[in-house]
Amino acid sequence: MTAIGPQRRPRRLRASAPLRRLVRETRPSAAALVLPIFVHESVTQTQPIESMPGVSHHTLDSLASLVDEAAAAGIGGVMLFAIPSQRDATGSAAADPDGILNRAIARAVAAADGRLVVMADLCLDEFTDHGHCGVLDERGGVDNDATLEAYGEMALAQARAGAHVLGLSGMMDGQVAHVRAVLDVAGYMDTSLLAYAAKYASAFYGPFRDAVQSDLQGDRKTYQMDPANGREGLLEAEIDEAEGADIVMVKPALPYLDVVAEVAAASRVPVAAYHVSGEYSQIEAAAQRGWLDRRAAHLEALTSMIRAGSDIVVTYAALDLAAWLSEN
Ligand code: PBG
């Protein structure tokens, strides 16, 4: 009697490139990508950020060209961060219409010319001299409800500057409901809110803190989440959705794909994942040493985030990814 082989042969569909392409479950596209951009008030030409190879500090002019390039590449959106030349205890430059971030928003919206979505980071950490995401109480703790007032002012300034989506990244309780109410009363009911819903107190933000020249002493563990907590990530997303978030985000991405998958299963709004600076720079640093294939690693990371359930991926590799996707 001849030996009987396996009945099920999943390898059959892996036999050729056309077969693999036909049965592929996850098909990332440039439209899902958001490129973070750093605008620096004190630079007069683009300056490479050492801890993030391929990423630079931008002037308002170079911001405009980069937005144009991103739009031409078919990227879905840009997320703006800004480094002001002056910081103070309350982060007052954040709500100043002439503040660098608000000027950058107006510039990016003009450069985008309706071709992509302009998002702005709504958080005080780049603007405070102590580096925390909010204002401090007399004992040095971050004062949740006083910070909400500041976020409301900042949101109005960003909406007036023309931002399409505000990225609430400060992890204050009630920030979505507060900002939504302030915007609605002022007539900005069409300005969308992307909530950094499950944002973990992560070591992977290291290069970003370098990029924004953060003055932070200590850590953000009293407001960002404990990396050990998955269920709480779901709770945060649920609260933000109930408060009126239009999009909820999980951040960082790859170490938290379980949270991405659960949030995607439970949410009825689009889900974003942020492949943060440390995740990006790990790939870049290893690729520089020849230890991994940069293109393949970035594409695999992107595919994993989409496969886990994110509709939107924020990544510093967005421009390269868009080019690679168009060749694939
Ligand atoms: C806070 C903010 C941070 C990042 C995005 N928004 C830093 C932090 O929480 O310390 C990190 C992004 C990254 O690491 O790429 N405004």
Side-chain angles (χ1 to χ4, degrees), residues 208-223:
F208 176 96
R209 302 235 173 120
D210 218 31
V212 299
Q213 295 158 352
S214 174
D215 296 320
L216 181 68
Q217 306 288 321
D219 58 51
R220 306 198 197 286
K221 291 180 183 168
T222 67
Y223 43 106

Side-chain angles (χ1 to χ4, degrees), residues 36 38 52 79 81 121-126 131 133 151 167-171 196 199-209 211-212 214 216 220 223-224 249 251-252 274-280 314 316:
F38 298 102
M52 301 176 70
M79 171 73 82
F81 295 92
D121 186 52
L122 201 167
C123 188
L124 285 178
D125 63 323
E126 278 93 58
C133 294
Y151 285 178
L168 287 83
S169 68
M171 288 300 283
Y196 286 56
K199 179 177 182 182
Y200 289 87
S202 172
F204 291 96
Y205 305 148
F208 176 96
R209 302 235 173 120
V212 299
S214 174
L216 181 68
R220 306 198 197 286
Y223 43 106
Q224 297 181 351
M249 186 152 76
K251 171 184 178 186
Y274 196 143
H275 191 241
V276 302
S277 58
E279 299 179 82
Y280 170 83
V314 184
Y316 300 96

Side-chain angles (χ1 to χ4, degrees), residues 7-94:
Q7 298 302 298
R8 304 294 307 270
R9 292 185 181 271
R11 287 187 57 196
R12 211 176 271 132
L13 295 180
R14 299 175 200 149
S16 70
L19 269 170
R20 291 193 295 274
R21 188 179 59 184
L22 179 70
V23 302
R24 193 157 290 148
E25 296 175 28
T26 306
R27 303 173 190 275
S29 81
L33 303 176
V34 174
L35 173 70
I37 302 177
F38 298 102
V39 178
H40 198 308
E41 191 166 20
S42 310
V43 304
T44 52
Q45 55 182 57
T46 59
Q47 295 281 343
I49 297 169
E50 209 176 328
S51 58
M52 301 176 70
V55 181
S56 294
H57 285 136
H58 286 273
T59 64
L60 290 171
D61 287 339
S62 68
L63 161 71
S65 353
L66 186 56
V67 169
D68 185 54
E69 198 184 331
I75 286 175
V78 293
M79 171 73 82
L80 306 182
F81 295 92
I83 301 103
S85 45
Q86 302 287 338
R87 292 173 160 149
D88 60 27
T90 57
S92 54

Side-chain angles (χ1 to χ4, degrees), residues 79 119-120 122 151 155-156 158-159 163-168 174-184 188-196 240-241 243-249 269-270:
M79 171 73 82
M119 311 187 176
L122 201 167
Y151 285 178
L156 275 181
Q158 295 187 342
H164 306 127
V165 177
L166 312 187
L168 287 83
Q175 62 184 12
V176 175
H178 183 79
V179 165
R180 184 72 272 159
V182 168
L183 291 174
D184 287 354
Y188 293 101
M189 48 282 282
D190 293 330
T191 305
S192 300
L193 302 182
L194 178 156
Y196 286 56
D240 284 355
E241 194 178 332
E243 287 185 19
D246 299 290
I247 302 170
V248 291
M249 186 152 76
V269 295

